């Protein structure tokens, strides 16, 4: 996953306006922008052969891809596989000055069932209480994203707390 992150940082940093737009949309809960920009990056940079791995590793590919993008935001605390609640979040973000916390659960959408995978991600966030750490850290707004990917497609669902 580290190779994917490093590569993504190099590729996406060439387009800082799009990165800023994506990060702002993620922070603001603007699903249409998050989804369209992420899908655009997938379409421009990923080959479906990149995800031609065992089923259990497909999710890791997209996780690393998104993590590489998010590392651009140097003012955000971005964590991968951090313990929170009853398990480990895929990605957790703390935007300290604004007291905004973000939990992201990535899913690979088997057979292209993006909506189902998004809902499963949100349910997992809730069942495992992945936002617990953000609440404990004093985040006043918590955004929980279920992000599903299938080949070069992306779908997002958002649950906002507080």
């Amino acid at each position: 996953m580290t190779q994917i992150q490093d590569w993504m940082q190099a590729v996406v940093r060439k387009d800082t306006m799009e990165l800023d737009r994506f990060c702002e949309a993620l922070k603001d809960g603007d699903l249409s922008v998050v989804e369209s920009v992420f899908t655009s990056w997938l379409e421009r940079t990923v080959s479906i052969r990149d995800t031609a791995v065992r089923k259990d590793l497909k999710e890791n590919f997209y996780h690393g891809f998104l993590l590489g993008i998010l590392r651009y935001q140097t003012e955000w605390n971005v964590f991968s596989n951090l313990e929170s609640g009853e398990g480990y979040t895929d990605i957790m973000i703390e935007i300290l000055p604004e007291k905004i916390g973000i939990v992201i659960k990535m899913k690979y959408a088997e057979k292209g069932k993006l909506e189902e995978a998004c809902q499963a991600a949100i349910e997992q966030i809730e069942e495992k209480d992945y936002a617990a750490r953000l609440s404990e850290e004093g985040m006043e707004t918590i955004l929980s994203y279920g992000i599903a990917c299938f080949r070069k497609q992306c779908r997002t669902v958002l649950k906002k707390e507080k």
Side-chain angles (χ1 to χ4, degrees), residues 76-89:
W76 293 4
N77 294 329
V78 179
F79 306 98
S80 177
N81 295 306
L82 187 65
E83 186 175 1
S84 182
E86 300 297 318
Y88 296 86
T89 64

Side-chain angles (χ1 to χ4, degrees), residues 95-101 137-142:
I95 306 170
L96 298 176
E98 299 173 63
K99 296 193 179 290
I100 297 173
E137 297 289 329
M139 299 299 113
E140 294 174 358
T141 300
I142 299 174

